[in-house]
Amino acid sequence: MKQKPETTIHDIARELNIAASTVSRALNDNPLISEATREKIKKTAERMGYRPNVLAANFRTKRTNTIGVIVPLINRHFFSSVISGIEDIAYQQGFAVTISQSNDNFEKENKIAHSLFQNRVDGLILSIAMETQTYDHLKIFTDRNIPIVFFDREVEEIEAHKIVVDDFGAAYQATKHLIDQGRKRIAMIGGPLNLKIYKNRQDGYCQALKDAGLSMEEPGILNNSLTREDGTRAIKKIMDSTVKPDAIFCANDTTALSSIIYLKNNGFKIPENIAIVGFSNEPFSELVTPSISTIKQPGFEIGQKAAELIINQIKQKKKPSSFETITLPTELIIRDSSRC
Amino acid sequence: MKQKPETTIHDIARELNIAASTVSRALNDNPLISEATREKIKKTAERMGYRPNVLAANFRTKRTNTIGVIVPLINRHFFSSVISGIEDIAYQQGFAVTISQSNDNFEKENKIAHSLFQNRVDGLILSIAMETQTYDHLKIFTDRNIPIVFFDREVEEIEAHKIVVDDFGAAYQATKHLIDQGRKRIAMIGGPLNLKIYKNRQDGYCQALKDAGLSMEEPGILNNSLTREDGTRAIKKIMDSTVKPDAIFCANDTTALSSIIYLKNNGFKIPENIAIVGFSNEPFSELVTPSISTIKQPGFEIGQKAAELIINQIKQKKKPSSFETITLPTELIIRDSSRC
DNA sequence: ATTAAAAATGCAATCGATTGCATGGATATA
DNA sequence: TATATCCATGCAATCGATTGCATTTTTAAT
């Protein structure tokens, strides 16, 4: 039961009376090596139970064929869809993917970023934590020309490819939908404005109101971190206000859920008294009663696109001359919480 | 904007006119080095912007300080809780964690396992895919003394520490609860029996029936892969049977959900006509109407325990003389779907 | 048959940190 | 003072694959 020593390319070379460099090239399908010897070498490698030492190769080449991914929370449907999309492309292209979650916590994101950096990932795909306001932990990547691709929650200060959805448009559409249902007093539960996506959702909401000649001074917009508890606090505050809304646009489904639960418990009818629209199409949104109208984002496609972009950058090794921001379409899903 | 070359321990050594080995030892807090020189070296390293080359160290030491984790699906609440528990302990102990999902697919699990193996993770924590029936892709780890810890879905054929919950007891308790509510005809939607957890849940169910002097020949137990669709097919089949049940125990919450939706759509009252109990306490289980009675598993603690066990094994480097199977307690949460 | 060109293979350095063993110096003991 | 002991540091090999350049072999062209 003792460890048998690993076979190396040198063992193979000795066995065949050739040079280790030839073995290395053959195994990597380097065209310098003739068909015949390549075959012979591969056969022998197989027979000797050769396993390439990835650590040695990584060390030598300074590449790891690994893509680091940081998301706020892996068990959010949107993020896990993105991860699946990333894996889909990455595995096809021979890249490994290592996933981490920041829990929306800056310190954790910071630590993870440094760990991935130390471990020399070839590229980083991420959606930043809610708390994150400084970017030194990301600059270390760009400083050394390690490509970054942002998705969803991007960072303006850093030049990189970005995959986003049209949050402004989606929020506009959601709000317009509420207006179309005859609602006049539409409040909003929004996210932290240091994140552009929440800023955009808020702007879309405001624009839709403005275009319809509506306004909402009070209770207006309540910003928070969009947790279940934040949502409950917000809806409570909204309903305690002097002017009660007849609709609420929530910047995520979680707070839409908090709102629905609170309103139901307090005798309000949804959507008759108050209509609700959420954001992200979490699986639970169609399961609760009433089901939640929401915005569906193409998570899987976002992940695929992000992986494609980062792999391209990794392969061509030089900084692209310009960075693009790709906007993918969203879809408004109308369900019971806002349908009259 | 060009790459400045990385500082190495040799650069530091040259700067201070000492040997690289001394630098290496100092930076690793090796007690052989005196306090004074250690300080001096660390200061200089800091000043020169030294970053250890993890790849070189990994290569030399044949260790990566990385724990591989494979779960069926990262966006299942149970699994993401386990992952959080693993990360909690691992980060404290200076280990990185790389997470992958098998999608319950054998081929993918196989590929991931080989990739983690090639990348020389120091240990592997996993819950196997539903489809998995052979274990060569795991034997490669044990063959080279790389520790494995199973959680939840374990494999009997492989000797390793295992963290499980008492599926038998939990299923027994769930079924007993239905019996206590006066139900006599209790059907079951079960999982694939190659996985011990589903076998155990089924056995617990059977034992509870037996102890109560009940039986359920028809429709009895329907085994499938426990997806939404499988659940719908199963409940349809159950309700098409000649003897209709007055309660159903489902081996997960997903099929409990399918059942509830189907039954509601077909005019059955839950729990009056049919009571339902699920398994796992997915977040949606408390959100649907009626809320689903279920079994809560201590995911976070399972993850912590798994990480502890694997790190211990990694540190002591030799195969433990015996392997333990740790069983953590579950909790029956009674909600509306089974409460009269 | 001779030379040029192309193709295939070999040589040897290299990546950066770690570590067993050797060595030099300081301290303690007799 | 001489010798043994301990502490701190240095030397040099090593991990295994990759790669620029040199060299040999083969093929093609005259």
Side-chain angles (χ1 to χ4, degrees):
Chain A
M1 192 48 102
K2 71 170 80 91
Q3 304 287 49
K4 49 180 168 273
E6 297 272 349
T7 312
T8 71
I9 53 171
H10 295 97
D11 298 329
I12 299 174
R14 203 173 312 116
E15 179 87 4
L16 292 173
N17 252 310
I18 55 179
S21 50
T22 305
V23 177
S24 171
R25 292 193 178 99
L27 294 173
N28 288 309
D29 288 321
N30 185 319
L32 282 181
I33 305 300
S34 71
E35 183 73 23
T37 51
R38 185 205 324 282
E39 285 294 302
K40 189 175 60 183
I41 288 169
K42 286 193 173 178
K43 284 243 169 56
T44 312
E46 175 78 32
R47 176 167 56 74
M48 296 178 73
Y50 171 73
R51 298 257 169 205
N53 184 328
V54 178
L55 298 186
N58 287 351
F59 168 49
R60 178 59 224 251
T61 61
K62 300 177 191 303
R63 275 184 282 101
T64 54
N65 290 306
T66 300
I67 297 169
V69 178
I70 309 177
V71 296
L73 281 172
I74 55 176
N75 70 342
R76 290 272 192 74
H77 180 253
F78 171 65
F79 290 121
S80 55
S81 308
V82 174
I83 289 170
S84 297
I86 293 172
E87 287 185 334
D88 181 53
I89 299 294
Y91 284 136
Q92 278 175 37
Q93 306 267 335
F95 281 83
V97 176
T98 125
I99 301 159
S100 309
Q101 53 184 344
S102 65
N103 293 319
D104 266 325
N105 174 292
F106 170 71
E107 257 323 309
K108 186 134 186 246
E109 179 176 285
N110 189 34
K111 273 198 183 156
I112 294 168
H114 278 93
S115 163
L116 292 176
F117 179 75
Q118 297 266 65
N119 281 288
R120 301 281 207 277
V121 292
D122 293 341
L124 177 64
I125 298 176
L126 86 163
S127 190
I128 62 166
M130 278 205 192
E131 290 179 12
T132 300
Q133 313 238 21
T134 63
Y135 310 108
D136 289 349
H137 61 306
L138 303 180
K139 295 235 176 73
I140 57 178
F141 287 85
T142 50
D143 283 353
R144 309 228 177 184
N145 273 326
I146 300 166
I148 295 183
V149 170
F150 290 97
F151 72 90
D152 199 47
R153 302 186 189 168
E154 47 134 334
V155 165
E156 277 191 274
E157 283 85 340
I158 294 187
E159 286 207 321
H161 290 316
K162 295 163 189 181
I163 325 277
V164 296
V165 298
D166 179 11
D167 287 286
F168 178 93
Y172 187 97
Q173 195 185 3
T175 311
K176 176 114 184 345
H177 157 67
L178 290 169
I179 296 168
D180 290 346
Q181 305 280 309
R183 308 295 161 145
K184 304 259 183 246
R185 301 186 310 282
I186 305 171
M188 173 169 181
I189 298 178
L193 295 179
N194 57 309
L195 294 186
K196 212 172 150 199
I197 56 166
Y198 296 118
K199 178 77 169 65
N200 289 342
R201 290 178 196 178
Q202 192 152 322
D203 290 349
Y205 155 87
C206 291
Q207 188 66 45
L209 288 191
K210 201 168 158 195
D211 288 356
L214 297 175
S215 71
M216 193 71 203
E217 301 301 315
E218 208 216 338
I221 304 169
L222 284 85
N223 294 92
N224 56 48
S225 300
L226 302 176
T227 62
R228 268 296 274 288
E229 297 71 32
D230 285 334
T232 305
R233 270 191 290 276
I235 183 70
K236 186 176 259 165
K237 198 158 175 190
I238 288 174
M239 299 314 291
D240 285 350
S241 113
T242 50
V243 185
K244 301 218 171 7
D246 55 13
I248 304 173
F249 169 53
C250 304
N252 74 353
D253 283 342
T254 306
T255 51
L257 175 67
S258 308
S259 302
I260 285 176
I261 291 174
Y262 179 86
L263 292 171
K264 271 169 52 175
N265 286 342
N266 287 273
F268 293 94
K269 292 243 174 298
I270 305 166
E272 293 79 359
N273 307 144
I274 300 191
I276 305 274
V277 177
F279 208 108
S280 284
N281 194 30
E282 291 289 334
F284 66 74
S285 62
E286 71 165 324
L287 300 177
V288 295
T289 310
S291 55
I292 304 176
S293 299
T294 190
I295 299 288
K296 180 177 171 181
Q297 300 163 288
F300 192 81
E301 289 77 13
I302 290 175
Q304 289 183 310
K305 198 72 206 166
E308 277 171 22
L309 286 178
I310 205 128
I311 290 173
N312 281 345
Q313 285 181 83
I314 291 170
K315 286 196 172 156
Q316 61 200 34
K317 296 180 144 203
K318 53 175 194 283
K319 188 179 291 189
S321 49
S322 72
F323 291 100
E324 25 177 354
T325 294
I326 296 174
T327 306
L328 296 182
T330 60
E331 184 190 340
L332 171 65
I333 301 178
I334 299 173
R335 298 206 182 96
D336 295 341
S337 70
S338 71
R339 185 162 37 204
C340 299
Chain B
M1 192 51 99
K2 71 171 81 91
Q3 304 287 50
K4 48 177 168 275
E6 296 272 349
T7 311
T8 73
I9 53 170
H10 295 98
D11 298 328
I12 300 174
R14 202 172 314 115
E15 178 87 4
L16 293 173
N17 252 308
I18 55 179
S21 49
T22 304
V23 176
S24 171
R25 291 192 178 101
L27 294 173
N28 288 309
D29 290 321
N30 184 318
L32 281 181
I33 304 302
S34 70
E35 182 74 25
T37 51
R38 185 204 325 282
E39 284 294 300
K40 189 175 60 183
I41 288 169
K42 286 194 172 176
K43 283 242 170 57
T44 313
E46 175 77 31
R47 176 166 57 75
M48 296 177 73
Y50 171 73
R51 298 258 169 206
N53 184 328
V54 178
L55 298 186
N58 288 350
F59 167 50
R60 177 60 222 253
T61 60
K62 300 177 191 304
R63 277 184 281 101
T64 55
N65 290 307
T66 300
I67 297 169
V69 177
I70 309 178
V71 296
L73 281 173
I74 54 176
N75 69 343
R76 290 272 193 75
H77 180 253
F78 172 66
F79 290 121
S80 55
S81 308
V82 174
I83 290 171
S84 297
I86 294 172
E87 288 185 334
D88 181 53
I89 300 294
Y91 285 136
Q92 277 175 35
Q93 306 266 336
F95 281 83
V97 175
T98 125
I99 301 159
S100 309
Q101 52 184 343
S102 65
N103 292 320
D104 266 324
N105 174 291
F106 171 71
E107 258 323 309
K108 185 134 187 245
E109 180 177 285
N110 189 35
K111 272 199 183 157
I112 294 168
H114 278 93
S115 163
L116 292 175
F117 179 75
Q118 296 266 65
N119 281 288
R120 302 279 207 279
V121 292
D122 294 341
L124 177 65
I125 297 177
L126 87 164
S127 189
I128 62 167
M130 278 205 192
E131 290 180 10
T132 300
Q133 313 238 20
T134 64
Y135 310 108
D136 289 349
H137 60 305
L138 303 181
K139 294 235 176 73
I140 57 178
F141 287 85
T142 50
D143 283 353
R144 310 227 177 186
N145 272 325
I146 299 165
I148 295 183
V149 169
F150 290 98
F151 71 90
D152 198 47
R153 302 187 189 166
E154 47 134 334
V155 165
E156 276 190 275
E157 282 85 341
I158 294 188
E159 287 206 319
H161 291 315
K162 294 163 189 180
I163 324 278
V164 296
V165 298
D166 179 12
D167 287 287
F168 178 93
Y172 187 96
Q173 194 185 4
T175 311
K176 175 116 184 344
H177 157 67
L178 290 168
I179 296 168
D180 290 346
Q181 304 281 308
R183 308 297 161 144
K184 304 259 182 247
R185 302 186 308 282
I186 304 171
M188 173 168 179
I189 298 179
L193 295 179
N194 58 308
L195 293 185
K196 212 173 149 201
I197 56 166
Y198 297 118
K199 178 77 169 64
N200 289 343
R201 290 177 196 178
Q202 193 153 321
D203 290 349
Y205 156 86
C206 291
Q207 189 63 46
L209 287 191
K210 201 168 157 194
D211 288 356
L214 297 175
S215 71
M216 192 73 201
E217 301 300 316
E218 207 216 339
I221 304 169
L222 283 86
N223 294 91
N224 54 48
S225 298
L226 303 178
T227 61
R228 269 294 275 287
E229 297 72 32
D230 286 333
T232 304
R233 271 191 290 275
I235 182 70
K236 187 177 258 164
K237 199 159 175 190
I238 287 175
M239 299 314 291
D240 286 349
S241 114
T242 49
V243 185
K244 301 215 173 9
D246 55 14
I248 303 173
F249 169 52
C250 304
N252 73 354
D253 284 341
T254 306
T255 52
L257 175 67
S258 309
S259 302
I260 284 177
I261 291 173
Y262 179 86
L263 291 171
K264 272 170 50 175
N265 287 341
N266 287 273
F268 292 94
K269 292 244 174 297
I270 305 167
E272 292 79 358
N273 306 146
I274 299 191
I276 305 275
V277 177
F279 208 110
S280 283
N281 193 32
E282 291 289 335
F284 67 74
S285 62
E286 71 165 324
L287 300 177
V288 295
T289 309
S291 55
I292 304 176
S293 299
T294 189
I295 299 288
K296 179 176 172 181
Q297 300 163 289
F300 192 82
E301 288 76 14
I302 291 176
Q304 288 183 311
K305 198 72 207 167
E308 276 170 24
L309 286 178
I310 206 129
I311 289 172
N312 280 345
Q313 284 180 85
I314 291 170
K315 286 196 172 157
Q316 63 200 32
K317 295 181 145 200
K318 52 175 197 282
K319 189 180 290 190
S321 49
S322 74
F323 290 99
E324 25 177 353
T325 294
I326 296 174
T327 306
L328 296 183
T330 59
E331 183 191 340
L332 171 65
I333 301 179
I334 299 172
R335 299 207 182 95
D336 296 341
S337 70
S338 72
R339 185 162 37 203
C340 299

